[in-house]
Amino acid sequence: MRLSARPIAALVAALALTAGLSITGTPAVARSDDRAAAAEASDVSIAADTYTWKNARIDGGGFVPGIVFNRSEKNLAYARTDIGGAYRWDQAGKRWTPLLDWVDWDRWGWSGVVSLASDTAEPDNVYAAVGTYTNRWDPTNGAVLRSSDRGASWKAATLPFKLGGNMPGRGMGERLAVDPNKNSVLYLGAPSGNGLWRSTDSGATWSEVTAFPNPGNYAQDPSDTSGYGNDNQGIVWVTFDERSGSAGSATQDIYVGVADKENTVYRSTDGGSTWSRIAGQPTGYLAHKGVLDSSTGHLYLTLSDTGGPYDGAKGRIWRYDTESGAWTDVSPVAEADTYYGFGGISVDRQKPGTLMATAYSSWWPDTQIFRSTDSGATWTQAWDYSSYPNRSNRYTLDVSSVPWLSWGANPSPPETAPKLGWMTESLEIDPFDSDRMMYGTGATVYGTEDLTSWDSGGTFTITPMVKGLEETAVNDLASPPSGAPLLSALGDIGGFRHTDLDAVPAMMFTSPNLDSTTSLDFAEASPGTVVRVGNADAAPHIGFSTDNGANWFQGSEPSGVTGGGTVAAAADGSGFVWSPEGAGVHHTTGYGTSWTASTGIPAGATVESDRKNPKKFYGFSAGTFYVSTDGGATFTAKATGLPAEGNVRFKALPGTEGDIWLAGGAPTGAYGLWRSTDSGASFTRFSGVEQADSVGFGKAASGASYQTVFVSAKIGGVRGIFRSTDAGAGWTRINDDAHQWAWTGAAITGDPRVYGRVYVSTNGRGIQVGESSDTDGPGTDPGPGTDPGTDPGEPPADADCSVAYTVTNRWSGGFQAEVKLTNTGTAAYDGWKLGWTFPGDQRIGQIWNASHQQTGAKVTVTDAGWNGKVAPGSSAAFGFTGTTTGDGTAPGAFTLGGEACAVG
């Protein structure tokens, strides 16, 4: 159940993306504005079609290294992930809201979050330090993002170095901190020997704290020459002692953790002007966390002999008395009895002296959680041995909401399924509620709301608190014409048969369990036949299903296989072609009881099947297309001159022999979209598509003669998800700038049963499902001013409200507007819905600080939850970008709850 570090060197090498410099304003303009003229020979609609987006629910699926509670506002909490962005907790829905879906293709690295900080003085302020890799894999420098509306919109300060949200040591922290007394001051601990950095203008600009004496020296693997394992993990956390300052005056006592086993804690007592190593500190370990209990004056360190989050064989917990300067080893077990490092630690802000810590790297038999109510003098454990190997647990673990967390395992004691966790680098007690605690694992966020039962001798209940947080890396997708609407191939957790896109699947693919599924396929004419391949420490690397992926059995494999590679199923399910890692291309009839090497095609080629002729298979490698007409036994080289660099993916059109679409390449060479109608003998490039990375097909539009084509591509100078209903003659962008999800190049497919529905892969934000409001195809939009479901009836009465609507920016084809709703009555609003009708053809693209629905010209905007309560005389504001062929004229009337508002 170990989750891999997921470095994506091969992907990055293929992309060679350019770095973005900064974000100014809202997420709507977070993308580099490099739009070109409409591509030649294509009718390109840059304005997005009206799509709604959601995740195919999995709930979790990746490492959550950080959880941060705001200490001045109840229920305000954030979570960070290593590759999948940041989230804000929604207490009403008990779910997480994604905050960085606007991160674009060029700055995909900003989806890795190395640290978060929530401002206690002004809770609307939140900061995120972003960047995925510190080596060449990530082409962009890191940045500190800042938001004054809880992550609804962001500005960025790009740093002169890289940050590593998916690097070794990413569970340590938090590296980013806001001064609780003077919130214009922030500190950031940098990796790679770049030292300690400070901002004095609320994160707008940053400079190095040159007086800080130690940039760190610890690397996970100094012999690694890739820049991954051998990077200096640097400054790993910053903690303020708020007692040493007052409102408006900078905190004087600041503690900093350094990746240096002999010098791991430093302190300043003069607001960061000078720094010194704290005498008497423990040595031989790295301090993963430093948390100060201001009620007792104790600074607690969790220590490990490595940086984590996977490794760590020894660990300790030490307490520092900030008044006396005394150090005390308060570890819950003897050093000789540890086989793990300590990571997560939290103090109960309601109960001085109560704290908890985790054994983050205890993989077997389970992680351990420790609790003390006397400042670490004594501890109890979440589980103990009753009589080995049997365990006595202080908790019950209910995963019924995310049942796949059991991994389908049935281990022998002392292991259990599901596990309490692994990689538990973050644990936080709610500062307002001693009964609520959350902790991150390598696959989910767990939590409890009856924690204090631990102290009274009872059991407390742990459940997944992960709804809305989707962090899977998607390698392949398939949507069969019958059976489940979607089958997924995922990194780390294998993949799922999604029978209901809005429900968490009961179990991932099992029998065999694969660490990561790299490719899957179904037989087009017999969709019950499915094959998947993937990575595992040992055989098997392949599984078959005859019931549309509901049940599986493992197949044999050729000798030498080391990884999944790609796989293809014959159109009728009579045979398969497999191109695994470590062995050449092979073919089989039946279900892989024996494999025979294919000839005429190089090892490592990507393989696919024709979707009509069961004897025809295709392959691609290094710019050459290959075709087999004998079930994969022999291949013949056909078209050449295709992209020789980068990743290339291709699909054959369902139901038509020999119709193939190929996407891929690299900016340094050929890069785009090609089509063949003669089984790969020749290809024609779509001149209007500048770049393309994945292609798929869905149900044809009403009256259309060709299936709908979807691509992740750059068209008309714009990166996005595009749809064509006329075989590529024209394209419409169907995502918007608020829904970009960083990198979307691995896989895309439409749904053959639902027009307009598309499934998009991401590298850390799970499976995105797009649904078109145009359910029958082009021409069904009721058009401006039409709302056939509404009887106008009597004119509404006046409401206690006024609305100021301001167009703040205009450009060709679009505009930006801000709206302020003021409560002019005597009673507070408890939630609000503001409506209006646009003149002309205006359509909202992306909105912040609110959500919206639009039917034709009619718009309804709903509060964002946190701004739903508006006191008399107060206002709520939101903004949006829109598209129009006119000048963006302001609406003339507004309603609140169906009643008219004053305008002005």
Side-chain angles (χ1 to χ4, degrees):
M1 286 193 250
R2 177 178 178 183
L3 301 191
S4 68
R6 293 183 285 184
I8 47 174
L11 176 148
V12 175
L15 296 180
L17 302 178
T18 59
L21 294 180
S22 66
I23 301 172
T24 56
T26 68
V29 290
R31 178 181 46 78
S32 299
D33 192 9
D34 58 352
R35 297 182 180 181
E40 56 185 297
S42 282
D43 177 17
V44 181
S45 172
I46 298 304
D49 185 24
T50 306
Y51 260 66
T52 58
W53 294 93
K54 64 181 180 181
N55 277 103
R57 278 191 69 188
I58 294 170
D59 286 16
F63 181 33
V64 181
I67 299 168
V68 174
F69 278 91
N70 186 279
R71 289 178 55 190
S72 63
E73 181 175 318
K74 188 175 183 180
N75 295 322
L76 180 57
Y78 297 89
R80 63 179 171 96
T81 68
D82 51 5
I83 64 171
Y87 294 81
R88 184 184 63 244
W89 178 250
D90 170 21
Q91 177 63 19
K94 292 196 172 181
R95 60 178 297 140
W96 297 95
T97 300
L99 302 179
L100 300 183
D101 282 357
W102 54 264
V103 172
D104 60 19
W105 180 279
D106 287 344
R107 290 173 297 216
W108 61 264
W110 287 10
S111 62
V113 184
V114 73
S115 192
L116 282 173
S118 182
D119 188 344
T120 58
E122 295 183 73
D124 285 349
N125 295 339
V126 63
Y127 300 86
V130 297
T132 300
Y133 299 103
T134 60
N135 63 358
R136 60 180 177 80
W137 299 343
D138 189 339
T140 58
N141 280 352
V144 177
L145 309 180
R146 62 191 188 277
S147 172
S148 58
D149 52 17
R150 304 171 188 237
S153 63
W154 298 87
K155 296 181 180 179
T158 305
L159 300 166
F161 50 82
K162 297 181 180 183
L163 295 177
N166 198 34
M167 294 291 288
R170 60 192 179 275
M172 296 193 281
E174 294 292 317
R175 297 173 183 256
L176 183 64
V178 184
D179 189 323
N181 291 303
K182 189 174 183 179
N183 66 341
S184 60
V185 175
L186 294 90
Y187 283 85
L188 171 68
S192 311
N194 288 305
L196 182 67
W197 287 66
R198 177 169 52 210
S199 171
T200 58
D201 54 7
S202 300
T205 61
W206 292 81
S207 58
E208 186 176 2
V209 181
T210 56
F212 195 81
N214 186 354
N217 59 19
Y218 174 81
Q220 181 194 61
D221 180 6
S223 66
D224 177 13
T225 59
S226 71
Y228 185 75
N230 61 334
D231 186 52
N232 175 6
Q233 294 180 15
I235 313 298
V236 297
W237 53 263
V238 179
T239 296
F240 292 92
D241 186 346
E242 61 263 37
R243 302 170 304 165
S244 62
S246 58
S249 299
T251 301
Q252 296 300 293
D253 292 356
I254 311 168
Y255 297 85
V256 171
V258 180
D260 179 342
K261 290 187 178 183
E262 302 305 311
N263 311 280
T264 196
V265 188
Y266 287 77
R267 177 177 60 184
S268 174
T269 58
D270 54 11
S273 295
T274 62
W275 301 84
S276 60
R277 178 188 186 275
I278 303 179
Q281 66 181 265
T283 58
Y285 290 98
L286 302 176
H288 276 223
K289 310 275 184 181
V291 174
L292 195 143
D293 186 345
S294 57
S295 296
T296 62
H298 291 152
L299 174 70
Y300 294 97
L301 306 181
T302 46
L303 300 124
S304 174
D305 58 348
T306 67
Y310 310 114
D311 52 3
K314 290 293 178 182
R316 310 305 293 149
I317 301 176
W318 279 73
R319 184 184 72 209
Y320 176 67
D321 189 323
T322 58
E323 298 299 326
S324 68
W327 285 96
T328 306
D329 186 342
V330 294
S331 304
V333 295
E335 185 175 31
D337 293 334
T338 62
Y339 53 92
Y340 46 76
F342 292 98
I345 188 167
S346 182
V347 298
D348 188 337
R349 304 294 175 179
Q350 300 294 316
K351 296 184 176 183
T354 294
L355 65 151
M356 298 179 70
T358 66
Y360 78 90
S361 55
S362 178
W363 288 88
W364 189 93
D366 208 342
T367 200
Q368 185 61 274
I369 300 176
F370 303 90
R371 181 172 172 88
S372 173
T373 57
D374 54 12
S375 299
T378 61
W379 298 81
T380 51
Q381 300 182 162
W383 59 270
D384 295 281
Y385 287 113
S386 50
S387 57
Y388 186 86
N390 298 312
R391 284 167 47 170
S392 174
N393 297 333
R394 294 180 185 271
Y395 64 90
T396 58
L397 181 52
D398 177 6
V399 298
S400 56
S401 63
V402 190
W404 61 261
L405 285 166
S406 72
W407 248 258
N410 186 27
S412 299
E415 285 193 281
T416 62
K419 283 193 170 188
L420 188 59
W422 59 94
M423 295 166 61
T424 50
E425 284 268 37
S426 182
L427 179 148
E428 296 295 328
I429 302 170
D430 186 333
F432 293 91
D433 184 354
S434 297
D435 267 319
R436 181 160 69 173
M437 174 269 289
M438 297 181 184
Y439 67 98
T441 79
T444 193
V445 176
Y446 279 130
T448 182
E449 294 182 326
D450 59 354
L451 177 60
T452 57
S453 296
W454 182 320
D455 303 327
S456 60
T459 58
F460 62 99
T461 301
I462 297 174
T463 60
M465 290 186 177
V466 73
K467 184 178 180 181
L469 195 158
E470 298 284 349
E471 205 207 342
T472 49
V474 184
N475 294 326
D476 201 2
L477 296 169
S479 184
S482 61
L486 180 67
L487 305 172
S488 62
L490 306 178
D492 295 332
I493 59 173
F496 294 91
R497 181 177 188 257
H498 303 264
T499 58
D500 182 345
L501 301 175
D502 297 314
V504 178
M507 192 55 57
M508 71 273 287
F509 298 141
T510 59
S511 302
N513 289 67
L514 300 176
D515 296 341
S516 293
T517 300
T518 57
S519 175
L520 57 79
D521 195 15
F522 64 90
E524 189 68 43
S526 181
T529 300
V530 187
V531 60
R532 60 185 167 93
V533 295
N535 300 331
D537 291 336
H541 295 89
I542 187 167
F544 296 93
S545 173
T546 58
D547 57 8
N548 192 242
N551 296 281
W552 295 84
F553 56 92
Q554 67 186 56
S556 66
E557 58 189 56
S559 61
V561 172
T562 59
T566 57
V567 70
D572 61 357
S574 59
F576 304 88
V577 172
W578 185 14
S579 178
E581 294 180 19
V585 178
H586 285 68
H587 68 99
T588 187
T589 55
Y591 294 103
T593 54
S594 62
W595 294 88
T596 303
S598 303
T599 60
I601 186 171
T606 300
V607 295
E608 296 280 357
S609 64
D610 190 87
R611 309 313 283 181
K612 186 173 183 179
N613 184 341
K615 292 295 185 182
K616 189 171 287 187
F617 288 84
Y618 306 113
F620 176 85
S621 178
T624 300
F625 200 81
Y626 299 84
V627 181
S628 171
T629 57
D630 55 7
T634 60
F635 282 82
T636 302
K638 295 291 186 178
T640 59
L642 297 168
E645 302 176 71
N647 292 320
V648 173
R649 299 164 180 86
F650 64 93
K651 294 278 185 70
L653 185 75
T656 302
E657 183 175 351
D659 193 341
I660 305 155
W661 294 61
L662 182 146
T668 54
Y671 198 177
L673 182 68
W674 288 259
R675 182 185 175 195
S676 172
T677 56
D678 56 9
S679 297
S682 63
F683 280 84
T684 300
R685 180 173 181 173
F686 288 86
S687 59
V689 179
E690 295 142 69
Q691 300 177 357
D693 291 86
S694 58
V695 60
F697 309 101
K699 184 178 180 180
S702 178
S705 60
Y706 200 83
Q707 293 177 41
T708 302
V709 183
F710 296 94
V711 291
S712 174
K714 184 177 182 180
I715 301 176
V718 176
R719 257 288 169 185
I721 307 301
F722 290 85
R723 180 184 76 185
S724 176
T725 58
D726 53 11
W731 297 95
T732 297
R733 186 186 181 204
I734 59 174
N735 71 321
D736 54 50
D737 287 356
H739 301 89
Q740 300 192 76
W741 317 291
W743 191 76
T744 57
I748 191 170
T749 184
D751 191 308
R753 289 170 275 185
V754 180
Y755 168 74
R757 180 183 290 172
V758 62
Y759 306 103
V760 179
S761 71
T762 73
N763 188 52
R765 272 289 287 127
I767 304 163
Q768 298 295 330
V769 182
E771 302 277 9
S772 175
S773 63
D774 183 4
T775 55
D776 294 320
T780 62
D781 190 328
T786 304
D787 186 9
T790 301
D791 181 354
E794 295 295 322
D798 291 337
D800 294 326
C801 55
S802 68
V803 176
Y805 181 104
T806 305
V807 176
T808 59
N809 194 12
R810 287 186 173 92
W811 56 88
S812 177
F815 66 100
Q816 182 170 321
E818 293 182 357
V819 183
K820 183 169 78 170
L821 168 65
T822 301
N823 184 346
T824 60
T826 58
Y829 303 159
D830 188 6
W832 48 266
K833 287 189 177 182
L834 185 68
W836 69 80
T837 299
F838 273 130
D841 63 351
Q842 300 177 58
R843 185 169 291 277
I844 292 178
Q846 185 241 336
I847 195 166
W848 51 95
N849 298 341
S851 60
H852 82 288
Q853 291 183 329
Q854 182 170 357
T855 303
K858 187 174 182 179
V859 175
T860 301
V861 176
T862 305
D863 64 85
W866 58 267
N867 60 354
K869 294 185 183 294
V870 184
S874 298
S875 301
F878 60 90
F880 62 88
T881 57
T883 60
T884 181
T885 59
D887 59 2
T889 303
F894 300 86
T895 60
L896 184 68
E899 299 181 356
C901 290
V903 179

